[in-house]
Amino acid sequence: MQGNPAIILHAPQLGENIGAAARVMLNFGLTDLRLVSPRDGWPSAAAEAMSAGALGQGVSVTVFDTLEAAMTGLTYTVATTARPRGMEKEVFGAAEAVGALKARQGQVAVLFGGEKSGLPNEAVALCDAILTYPVNPAFSSLNLAQAVGVFCHQWGASAGLEGKFGGKGEGVDAPATRENLIGMFEHFEAELERAGYFYPPEKTPVMITNLRNALVRAQWTEQEVRTFRGAIKALSLGRGKARVVREE
Amino acid sequence: MQGNPAIILHAPQLGENIGAAARVMLNFGLTDLRLVSPRDGWPSAAAEAMSAGALGQGVSVTVFDTLEAAMTGLTYTVATTARPRGMEKEVFGAAEAVGALKARQGQVAVLFGGEKSGLPNEAVALCDAILTYPVNPAFSSLNLAQAVGVFCHQWGASAGLEGKFGGKGEGVDAPATRENLIGMFEHFEAELERAGYFYPPEKTPVMITNLRNALVRAQWTEQEVRTFRGAIKALSLGRGKARVVREE
């Protein structure tokens, strides 16, 4: 049974929007709000005022320096974006996103970008799927708290949708936490760097994003992460070396 | 074919909320905003600022002294309220309300109450049905513009726009053929074998199955298969070797 998702705001600017997001979260029963590098710091008097009491009555706020830290413990995350990204991820409307989130075990989350420019590609690359709203292409920029509100209402309204979506590999094995998945990416990338794979150097970020986008879609279990890390290690030792280490 | 509904705000107080409502209306393509006795008058500098341009770019505002006047020409109106009213009217969720509105001919509308106390019973009595959201009973008061936003998203999502960007990858890149995917697996496994990863030998088949089960879920594109094969090759050459090969 899926509990309520966390809401992560990535580099939000205005305390007013953080407070308004907290209010509409609690309107629909969501209480786990995570902030990554809020521009104006935290706590925020403007956020308190706009939350209409939600910040004192049930919504807990945790502040993180990095998105990776904010994703600790998560098993599935949806990134909200107005623009198609040309990334190979599933793209959901609100109802579909709720169905996908409910089908997952463990703590899930929805990620929203800051007011000015939304989510950077590196942030989207860490997520499993994309949530987008059917906006007017001539006027597509939603207020941040409105974007949060639309999702929260859909979550509240979709109690009957549970189980409608398949869900991959359910119940077989525990899904990997996001920090373990990120650890696997970093291990892979560190060994690729040592091997000299990233060339020319200026292409490193896009090569990393492409690899992560492909791998993240597999929705790894904890066991699979361990297996893959063993494979990276074996390859990085060089031909025949893993066998020697084991047989010593 | 039903056109877009009008949005009527009954005795709204804050220009900020009127502006935010106009913004989210235009986000989802709605343009007919009617105000009944706005407390702070009209026009409103606060509304202009919060509308992010919507008030100048497509949302028309008409001000009325009475709700009856604002309802002139309407054929069907839904009243939004958080409280059950003990009235003999149909009570809809957002998706049902959109369905009911779309089934009517002529100009339809949705009515929202002011910030302080919502809609008076006399106003609800003039409407055909009630729209209510599945709110947290302990924290049920939505911001006015959020309430408008939830409806507008639902309207947009039901216009056949949801899933417009649906499906994976938007055709950005061709999915890998199964033979290329298998080629990638075999390449990976051959290098793992050379590295000595498969140990003890009798476990090789189950280890291969586990790796393939994880990787196959990612639904690789052709380009991603090439990228990953490059990564396997770089790792298998050993630390620093890929760089040497490239720079020869």
Side-chain angles (χ1 to χ4, degrees):
Chain A
M1 173 72 190
Q2 181 59 57
N4 286 330
I7 298 293
I8 308 175
L9 305 185
H10 184 269
Q13 300 188 329
L14 298 170
E16 287 85 346
N17 283 332
I18 299 170
R23 175 176 175 179
V24 78
M25 284 173 64
L26 193 56
N27 285 146
F28 294 106
L30 281 71
T31 57
D32 182 350
L33 176 58
R34 306 179 185 199
L35 307 179
V36 178
S37 299
R39 185 190 65 182
D40 297 338
W42 193 260
S44 156
E48 288 287 339
M50 283 298 286
S51 83
L55 289 172
Q57 285 178 40
V59 172
S60 69
V61 176
T62 320
V63 180
F64 299 89
D65 289 335
T66 64
L67 176 58
E68 286 82 353
M71 294 175 97
T72 300
L74 299 180
T75 57
Y76 186 79
T77 306
V78 175
T80 307
T81 165
R83 307 190 299 275
R85 299 292 184 131
M87 292 190 190
E88 296 286 337
K89 290 184 197 288
E90 283 187 290
V91 179
F92 296 129
E96 298 166 308
V98 166
L101 289 161
K102 291 203 171 186
R104 294 308 182 290
Q105 298 181 321
Q107 180 64 55
V108 299
V110 183
L111 174 64
F112 295 84
E115 291 88 338
K116 193 168 171 201
S117 48
L119 289 172
N121 282 340
E122 313 86 80
V124 178
L126 291 176
C127 296
D128 300 281
I130 286 174
L131 164 60
T132 192
Y133 298 141
V135 289
N136 173 1
F139 194 81
S140 64
S141 174
L142 258 77
N143 167 268
L144 171 56
Q146 287 281 6
V148 173
V150 164
F151 170 78
C152 292
H153 164 265
Q154 194 73 49
W155 181 265
S158 302
L161 288 176
E162 199 136 1
K164 182 175 150 186
F165 289 77
K168 288 161 190 141
E170 276 179 280
V172 181
D173 205 358
T177 59
R178 194 60 31 151
E179 63 272 27
N180 285 347
L181 191 64
I182 291 171
M184 181 184 94
F185 291 159
E186 291 172 345
H187 180 188
F188 192 31
E189 291 148 15
E191 289 299 345
L192 288 172
E193 174 60 34
R194 283 170 126 166
Y197 172 72
F198 295 114
Y199 186 86
E202 63 271 22
K203 284 225 172 168
T204 301
V206 69
M207 292 171 84
I208 286 176
T209 296
N210 289 345
L211 282 168
R212 288 185 174 197
N213 271 334
L215 292 169
V216 76
R217 288 199 306 268
Q219 299 176 27
W220 299 73
T221 68
E222 291 285 5
Q223 179 55 53
E224 288 166 346
V225 164
R226 287 192 292 272
T227 300
F228 192 71
R229 290 191 68 149
I232 298 166
K233 184 175 176 192
L235 285 185
S236 67
L237 288 169
R239 292 178 182 165
K241 300 290 175 53
R243 187 175 296 120
V244 171
V245 170
R246 279 211 185 84
E247 290 175 356
E248 266 167 2
Chain B
M1 175 67 190
Q2 182 57 61
N4 287 330
I7 298 294
I8 308 175
L9 306 185
H10 183 268
Q13 300 187 330
L14 297 170
E16 287 85 347
N17 284 332
I18 300 171
R23 176 175 175 178
V24 80
M25 284 174 63
L26 193 57
N27 285 147
F28 294 106
L30 281 71
T31 55
D32 181 351
L33 176 58
R34 306 179 185 198
L35 307 179
V36 178
S37 300
R39 185 190 66 182
D40 296 338
W42 194 260
S44 156
E48 288 287 339
M50 285 296 287
S51 84
L55 289 172
Q57 285 178 38
V59 172
S60 69
V61 176
T62 321
V63 181
F64 299 89
D65 289 335
T66 65
L67 177 59
E68 288 80 351
M71 295 175 93
T72 300
L74 299 180
T75 56
Y76 186 79
T77 306
V78 175
T80 308
T81 165
R83 306 189 302 274
R85 299 288 183 137
M87 293 187 192
E88 293 291 330
K89 289 183 198 291
E90 284 187 289
V91 179
F92 296 132
E96 299 166 307
V98 166
L101 289 160
K102 292 206 169 187
R104 295 307 183 290
Q105 297 184 317
Q107 180 65 55
V108 299
V110 183
L111 174 64
F112 295 84
E115 290 89 337
K116 194 170 171 197
S117 49
L119 288 172
N121 282 339
E122 316 84 82
V124 178
L126 291 176
C127 297
D128 299 281
I130 286 174
L131 164 61
T132 193
Y133 298 142
V135 289
N136 173 1
F139 195 79
S140 64
S141 174
L142 259 76
N143 166 267
L144 171 56
Q146 287 280 6
V148 173
V150 164
F151 170 78
C152 291
H153 165 264
Q154 194 72 51
W155 182 265
S158 305
L161 291 172
E162 188 142 18
K164 183 169 100 172
F165 302 105
K168 287 166 190 130
E170 306 133 40
V172 181
D173 207 1
T177 59
R178 194 56 36 150
E179 63 271 26
N180 285 348
L181 191 65
I182 292 170
M184 181 183 94
F185 292 158
E186 291 173 345
H187 180 188
F188 192 31
E189 293 147 12
E191 289 300 342
L192 288 172
E193 175 60 34
R194 282 170 127 168
Y197 171 74
F198 295 114
Y199 186 85
E202 63 271 24
K203 284 224 172 170
T204 302
V206 70
M207 292 171 84
I208 286 176
T209 297
N210 289 345
L211 282 169
R212 289 186 175 197
N213 271 335
L215 292 170
V216 77
R217 289 200 305 267
Q219 300 177 28
W220 299 72
T221 67
E222 291 286 1
Q223 178 55 52
E224 289 166 346
V225 164
R226 286 192 291 272
T227 300
F228 192 72
R229 291 190 69 149
I232 298 165
K233 184 175 178 193
L235 285 184
S236 67
L237 289 170
R239 291 176 183 166
K241 300 290 176 48
R243 190 175 296 120
V244 172
V245 170
R246 280 211 184 85
E247 291 174 358
E248 266 168 3

